[in-house]
């Protein structure tokens, strides 16, 4: 039973264009969502997060959008740069529980020159 | 600041052997997490500790897996006996906030790539 789903295993985007990574969740009790970025042979690093009381959070080139009614969130990267090529993990947690985070399986983003 | 430190980075051993993975969390962090990453299942939480106490070990696959945190600066994940299906990348992560991770994301080590032959 996968509570956090990233249905696109991979995505290729031209450098300079917008990258949009999508994530769906099934548990309506999730109230905090995170995106992590992972390079080969390294651990995931935190990128950006959003609380369920918001529908948008922006940090530089990265923006996360949350649609609670659809149980859907997306990460927008604009403009895309070669260094953005990595695996992106969507994750979710419940504020009334503990520190546990549920991760999706990841989407591999490849930025084309 | 040193990040989360895991050792070894790579481990290759024969099935049936005992494997011990080690983790040093970031100083001052009071939550520690062990994850396993595989192609099929992605990133799975195995167990986590708050203030050195195991809180949730529901992700530990079998009794062959055990984890300890004897003090705030060290944790081990042990597999005994190991099996080929245990081959994966094992990550350790730590965070500084107990009970609400919203503003304190987890920091990951670079992982241990484990191969059981």
């Amino acid at each position: 039973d996968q509570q956090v789903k990233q249905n696109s295993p991979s995505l290729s985007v031209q450098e300079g264009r917008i990258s949009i990574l999508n994530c769906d969740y099934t548990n309506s009790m999730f109230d905090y969502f995170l995106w992590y970025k992972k390079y080969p042979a390294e651990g995931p690093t935190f990128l950006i997060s959003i609380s369920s009381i918001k529908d948008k959070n922006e940090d530089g080139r990265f923006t996360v959008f949350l649609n609670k009614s659809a149980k859907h969130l997306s990460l927008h990267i604009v403009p895309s740069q070669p260094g953005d090529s990595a695996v992106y993990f969507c994750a979710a947690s419940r504020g009334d529980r503990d520190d546990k985070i549920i991760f999706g399986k990841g989407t591999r983003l490849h930025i084309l020159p | 600041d040193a990040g989360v430190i895991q050792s070894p980075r790579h481990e290759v051993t024969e099935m049936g052997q005992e494997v011990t993975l080690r983790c040093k969390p970031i100083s001052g962090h009071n939550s520690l997490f062990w994850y396993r990453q595989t192609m099929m299942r992605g990133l799975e939480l195995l167990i986590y500790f708050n203030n050195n106490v195991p809180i949730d070990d529901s992700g530990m696959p079998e009794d062959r897996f055990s984890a300890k945190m004897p003090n705030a600066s060290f944790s081990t994940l042990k597999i005994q006996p190991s099996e080929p299906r245990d081959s994966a990348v094992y990550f350790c992560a730590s965070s500084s906030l107990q009970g609400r991770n919203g503003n304190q994301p987890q920091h990951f080590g670079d992982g241990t790539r484990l191969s059981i032959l």
Side-chain angles (χ1 to χ4, degrees):
Chain A
D1 176 25
Q2 211 177 339
Q3 298 185 67
V4 179
K5 301 177 184 179
Q6 294 178 257
N7 293 321
S8 298
S10 65
L11 176 68
S12 293
V13 174
Q14 206 76 35
E15 181 179 354
R17 309 293 284 266
I18 183 171
S19 295
I20 300 176
L21 295 97
N22 293 303
C23 178
D24 298 295
Y25 61 96
T26 58
N27 191 337
S28 58
M29 297 299 291
F30 286 145
D31 65 352
Y32 198 79
F33 305 89
L34 310 93
W35 285 94
Y36 280 78
K37 176 179 179 179
K38 183 183 180 304
Y39 291 121
E42 295 182 8
T45 56
F46 171 72
L47 192 58
I48 193 169
S49 62
I50 187 167
S51 164
S52 61
I53 63 174
K54 295 185 176 181
D55 54 19
K56 176 183 174 182
N57 188 27
E58 190 172 351
D59 183 2
R61 296 186 299 112
F62 302 91
T63 303
V64 57
F65 295 92
L66 175 63
N67 182 335
K68 289 188 291 294
S69 61
K71 295 192 180 69
H72 177 83
L73 64 156
S74 60
L75 175 68
H76 292 212
I77 307 172
V78 54
S80 299
Q81 297 175 354
D84 297 329
S85 294
V87 177
Y88 289 79
F89 290 97
C90 173
S93 69
R94 289 176 55 167
D96 63 328
R97 295 285 289 270
D98 34 47
D99 294 314
K100 194 170 178 174
I101 293 178
I102 307 298
F103 284 84
K105 290 189 175 182
T107 296
R108 182 176 298 279
L109 176 64
H110 182 46
I111 304 302
L112 305 170
Chain B
D1 268 350
V4 175
I5 299 173
Q6 291 186 245
S7 64
R9 289 299 309 275
H10 303 274
E11 175 88 13
V12 181
T13 191
E14 292 186 347
M15 66 177 291
Q17 297 297 307
E18 177 178 294
V19 173
T20 299
L21 310 182
R22 297 172 176 80
C23 175
K24 177 178 168 56
I26 292 173
S27 177
H29 282 188
N30 58 0
S31 295
L32 183 139
F33 307 80
W34 281 101
Y35 291 88
R36 177 172 67 176
Q37 183 185 21
T38 61
M39 290 292 293
M40 290 297 295
R41 301 174 69 87
L43 202 57
E44 304 173 272
L45 177 67
L46 300 177
I47 185 172
Y48 82 94
F49 298 82
N50 275 350
N51 294 320
N52 314 337
V53 176
I55 302 299
D56 185 346
D57 65 354
S58 59
M60 296 285 262
E62 302 171 30
D63 290 345
R64 298 184 296 106
F65 285 69
S66 63
K68 294 182 179 179
M69 191 165 186
N71 56 63
S73 59
F74 184 67
S75 177
T76 59
L77 178 67
K78 188 173 292 186
I79 309 173
Q80 166 64 19
S82 58
E83 297 182 3
R85 60 193 168 120
D86 302 330
S87 298
V89 181
Y90 290 81
F91 289 102
C92 176
S94 69
S95 67
S96 61
L97 189 65
Q98 177 178 350
R100 186 65 176 107
N101 63 2
N103 295 318
Q104 302 292 337
Q106 295 175 18
H107 298 258
F108 283 75
D110 285 338
T112 295
R113 182 173 293 277
L114 177 63
S115 297
I116 307 298
L117 307 177

